[in-house]
Amino acid sequence: MFGRECCSWDSVCDYYNVEPQRFDLPSPLPQWPQGKGFATGKICLGEIEAVQITKFKKIWGCSPLFGKSKSVSFYKPDEIPQGFSILGHYCQPDGENITGCILAVKDLSDDQKQKISFRDSTSKLPALKKPLNYTLVYSANSLYNETGYIWLPNAPVGYKPMGFVATAEPNEPNLEEVKCVRADLTESCEACEVVFSSNSLFPKNQFQVWKTRPCARGMLCKGVSVGTFFCSTSFTKGDELNIACLKNLDSSLKAMPNLEQVHALIKHYGPTVYFHPDEIYLPSSVQWFFKNGALLFKDGKDNGIAIDSKGSNLPAGGQNDGKYWLDLPNKDVENRHTVKCGNIETAELYVHVKPAEGGTFTDIAMWIFCPFNGPATLKISLLNLAMNRVGEHVGDWEHYTLRISNFSGELWCVYFSEHSGGEWVDARDLEFIDGNKPIVYASRNGHASFPHPGCYLQGITKIGIGVRNDCARSKYYIDSSSKYQITAAEYLGEGIVAEPPWLEYMREWGPTIEYKSGYEVDKIINHLPSFFRISMESLVELFPTELYGEAGPTGPKEKNNWFGDERW
């Protein structure tokens, strides 16, 4: 009535003994090839050993009576192996199958620690200790008839809490409920995705819940997500959190898959990539591109030189200094248009395998090459305007990434690269084909990847202005479970995977383009209804900057997500 949001909290009596439904992949997992520590159910992090808990019992849930907030529930991890302790509880929006997990840990014996390759610790303190007590973070409020409570463990000196504890009663949780971790075995974490927000107008009634992730992420980083949530009544994005994540100090990364296991994972999970029925600019192999007349240009030289089929004569290493770029065959060569259109029969996915989340997950990044990126189609309200040149460029690299749990070998989520950004999509929200193989839809002309067919707008979606990304199934597709080449897996050591010479080419795969887009921008403005007409300057601000010119795209290894995490 007055902009408030009231919440109704479900009682533990009704739900505590009800196990929430968990998402399962369409097909059972295979028996993976034998290896050291991959998919064994346990991962050593140095002084502690971790297991992945995927079963939960509901403690209580919040269902808003008014407002637009989605309801959420808080869960306690269930079926903890003997000798292991949890580090916090779990939270997830209602109405979704559970796909998350919580790590449970135990302190390894001194004999076990001596057999493991990890950084020597001068501390003689145990890795895990119970909290001293708890601080009540969120409690019942008589205005809303709440019956749920959130507690923060207060860690002993030299230790850090890893998550919060939920109860349906006002009594302080048992000190044995969770463990705190010695500070040198942890790393900082950050709040990322909002799980719940009360949207209350009254500050003391504000309550928000976030997912967390390690602050430092990438294949060389050691942070390990615990799976717990962060909550607060007064948090501002960017504030330092009062909980931490784990750190993997075992440099051997024994839980990562060996090469045989990597091949098995790709054959089991490799997505089918569908291109739009009206796609003109299809992918090809890099080798086909080179063999069919692609040229290497150098700044100050008018003529390009031919590239050998492996790219051995490309300048290798260093950084993109703008002095070299690739281009299509010369304009007077008959097959220039043929090369622009690609050759899907030769196309394959170029695979980079790397550790994620401190080696508790494996990222399988699959890169696809298209010789040419076609022009954009702009959407302005109900109008669709096909551009003549805006959006075009030579040499298009796109990718998607499979994230797989090293505890079980289960596909956890897939990253879809979408131009300058992208998104992680949980396995439960994917479309599958032929067992556990996700489907990836490549957008028409731009080849960005999406999880479902349809039109995705890049721009200002609220007012319907932007670049169209149209996705649909067609006869044009690539099965990456069979058409792939592993091009890099640094964690396996030297000599295990032979990187192709072209991978070390860090410069541009196409010439820099500055579009003379005044005519096309005028064309857009002239099509606008009078009540919707805006200035050219305003239009420039609305559309993505790459519509007005861009440097030639660089190859996979020059991207910051080669060593780092995906951008999202």
Side-chain angles (χ1 to χ4, degrees):
M1 293 176 60
F2 302 101
R4 298 184 310 189
E5 180 176 274
C6 298
C7 298
S8 171
W9 302 90
D10 300 325
S11 170
V12 67
C13 298
D14 296 327
Y15 293 102
Y16 191 81
N17 293 319
V18 177
E19 183 177 335
Q21 186 176 2
R22 182 168 183 82
F23 168 80
D24 290 318
L25 291 168
S27 298
L29 297 186
Q31 184 68 43
W32 305 113
Q34 292 297 307
K36 292 183 178 180
F38 176 73
T40 61
K42 299 179 181 180
I43 295 179
C44 175
L45 302 178
E47 293 193 37
I48 60 178
E49 187 175 58
V51 294
Q52 198 174 60
I53 307 300
T54 58
K55 293 187 177 182
F56 302 92
K57 287 189 179 295
K58 188 171 180 177
I59 301 174
W60 51 265
C62 169
S63 300
L65 296 176
F66 304 101
K68 298 181 179 180
S69 293
K70 295 181 179 180
S71 58
V72 296
S73 292
F74 296 86
Y75 300 92
K76 178 178 180 177
D78 194 25
E79 299 184 15
I80 312 301
Q82 186 175 3
F84 285 82
S85 301
I86 62 173
L87 302 170
H89 287 178
Y90 177 76
C91 180
Q92 179 175 302
D94 292 336
E96 301 176 353
N97 290 332
I98 287 184
T99 57
C101 69
I102 289 286
L103 296 190
V105 297
K106 73 173 183 179
D107 196 343
L108 293 175
S109 67
D110 291 338
D111 290 340
Q112 290 174 306
K113 293 175 184 178
Q114 290 177 1
K115 299 176 182 178
I116 298 166
S117 173
F118 70 96
R119 187 188 65 187
D120 292 334
S121 174
T122 57
S123 176
K124 295 183 179 180
L125 297 172
L128 307 173
K129 272 190 177 182
K130 63 184 180 182
L132 300 174
N133 48 37
Y134 294 87
T135 296
L136 185 61
V137 175
Y138 188 69
S139 63
N141 186 302
S142 59
L143 290 176
Y144 304 124
N145 191 31
E146 301 166 353
T147 56
Y149 303 84
I150 302 289
W151 307 81
L152 174 67
N154 293 317
V157 175
Y159 290 78
K160 290 188 177 182
M162 313 299 285
F164 293 78
V165 175
T167 66
E169 302 295 336
N171 302 324
E172 189 170 318
N174 192 306
L175 294 181
E176 299 294 340
E177 178 69 16
V178 296
K179 287 291 194 292
C180 300
V181 180
R182 205 174 70 227
D184 64 314
L185 305 180
T186 71
E187 286 210 346
S188 59
C189 64
E190 64 184 18
C192 51
E193 179 183 339
V194 175
V195 179
F196 176 78
S197 178
S198 65
N199 295 326
S200 174
L201 293 179
F202 302 99
K204 68 177 182 179
N205 295 327
Q206 290 284 356
F207 177 58
Q208 293 182 301
V209 180
W210 291 265
K211 290 183 180 180
T212 62
R213 63 185 182 185
C215 292
R217 300 178 304 281
M219 72 184 228
L220 302 178
C221 298
K222 300 180 183 297
V224 175
S225 177
V226 179
T228 54
F229 63 89
F230 170 75
C231 68
S232 175
T233 57
S234 60
F235 177 74
T236 301
K237 191 72 172 178
D239 289 351
E240 185 176 348
L241 303 195
N242 50 13
I243 61 173
C245 67
L246 292 171
K247 180 190 293 186
N248 188 356
L249 296 178
D250 184 1
S251 60
S252 67
L253 296 177
K254 292 180 181 177
M256 290 293 293
N258 60 30
L259 188 58
E260 184 182 7
Q261 291 168 332
V262 170
H263 283 294
L265 289 167
I266 295 173
K267 289 175 181 177
H268 186 74
Y269 292 123
T272 295
V273 185
Y274 281 102
F275 292 83
H276 195 274
D278 298 327
E279 182 62 71
I280 298 174
Y281 306 106
L282 292 164
S284 76
S285 69
V286 170
Q287 190 174 41
W288 181 90
F289 180 60
F290 291 162
K291 283 184 176 180
N292 282 270
L295 298 172
L296 170 67
F297 285 83
K298 184 178 181 180
D299 189 28
K301 302 285 186 179
D302 293 332
N303 298 319
I305 63 171
I307 307 166
D308 70 49
S309 61
K310 295 182 179 181
S312 302
N313 61 332
L314 294 173
Q319 296 179 333
N320 179 25
D321 51 16
K323 294 182 178 180
Y324 294 89
W325 63 91
L326 307 187
D327 204 347
L328 300 168
N330 292 325
K331 293 181 180 180
D332 56 350
V333 177
E334 289 185 6
N335 71 335
R336 180 181 172 88
H337 181 72
T338 300
V339 175
K340 287 176 67 172
C341 294
N343 186 293
I344 197 168
E345 288 77 16
T346 67
E348 58 186 350
L349 278 297
Y350 300 104
V351 178
H352 180 209
V353 190
K354 56 181 179 176
E357 295 269 358
T360 57
F361 285 86
T362 293
D363 274 4
I364 299 179
M366 309 190 84
W367 293 84
I368 190 166
F369 174 73
C370 295
F372 196 76
N373 190 98
T377 296
L378 306 185
K379 178 178 174 60
I380 304 175
S381 187
L382 299 178
L383 297 174
N384 293 298
L385 304 172
M387 298 291 97
N388 293 324
R389 290 198 60 221
V390 173
E392 287 187 346
H393 59 78
V394 175
D396 189 26
W397 279 104
E398 301 289 348
H399 78 286
Y400 53 85
T401 298
L402 312 179
R403 179 158 288 180
I404 295 166
S405 168
N406 289 345
F407 289 96
S408 62
E410 181 181 354
L411 176 66
W412 216 249
C413 52
V414 175
Y415 179 82
F416 292 83
S417 172
E418 301 163 4
H419 303 297
S420 58
E423 63 173 339
W424 284 105
V425 177
D426 286 340
R428 65 166 175 245
D429 297 319
L430 298 172
E431 190 177 331
F432 289 92
I433 190 172
D434 190 21
N436 293 333
K437 297 180 174 68
I439 292 177
V440 174
Y441 292 91
S443 63
R444 180 175 177 263
N445 283 2
H447 314 124
S449 58
F450 295 91
H452 301 286
C455 176
Y456 299 83
L457 200 63
Q458 181 191 6
I460 313 299
T461 57
K462 290 183 178 180
I463 60 175
I465 289 185
V467 179
R468 290 182 63 103
N469 289 276
D470 292 290
C471 301
R473 287 202 197 191
S474 73
K475 64 181 180 180
Y476 307 120
Y477 67 88
I478 303 173
D479 179 0
S480 64
S481 69
S482 58
K483 299 195 70 174
Y484 69 92
Q485 178 186 154
I486 298 177
T487 56
E490 293 90 343
Y491 73 93
L492 290 174
E494 293 185 10
I496 303 299
V497 174
E499 296 188 3
W502 58 260
L503 189 61
E504 287 295 328
Y505 174 68
M506 308 297 284
R507 275 80 170 185
E508 296 160 1
W509 285 68
T512 297
I513 298 174
E514 293 182 3
Y515 301 118
K516 296 180 180 179
S517 55
Y519 167 76
E520 297 206 51
V521 172
D522 288 340
K523 176 183 174 182
I524 295 170
I525 294 175
N526 292 334
H527 277 82
L528 290 174
S530 58
F531 65 87
F532 199 60
R533 193 161 296 175
I534 54 180
S535 68
M536 183 184 299
E537 291 77 11
S538 299
L539 192 67
V540 170
E541 294 177 359
L542 286 176
F543 287 125
T545 56
E546 56 262 33
L547 290 185
Y548 300 92
E550 58 184 291
T554 52
K557 202 166 186 178
E558 201 274 336
K559 310 291 188 187
N560 56 15
N561 56 353
W562 182 269
F563 292 101
D565 196 14
E566 301 290 358
R567 295 170 290 181
W568 59 296

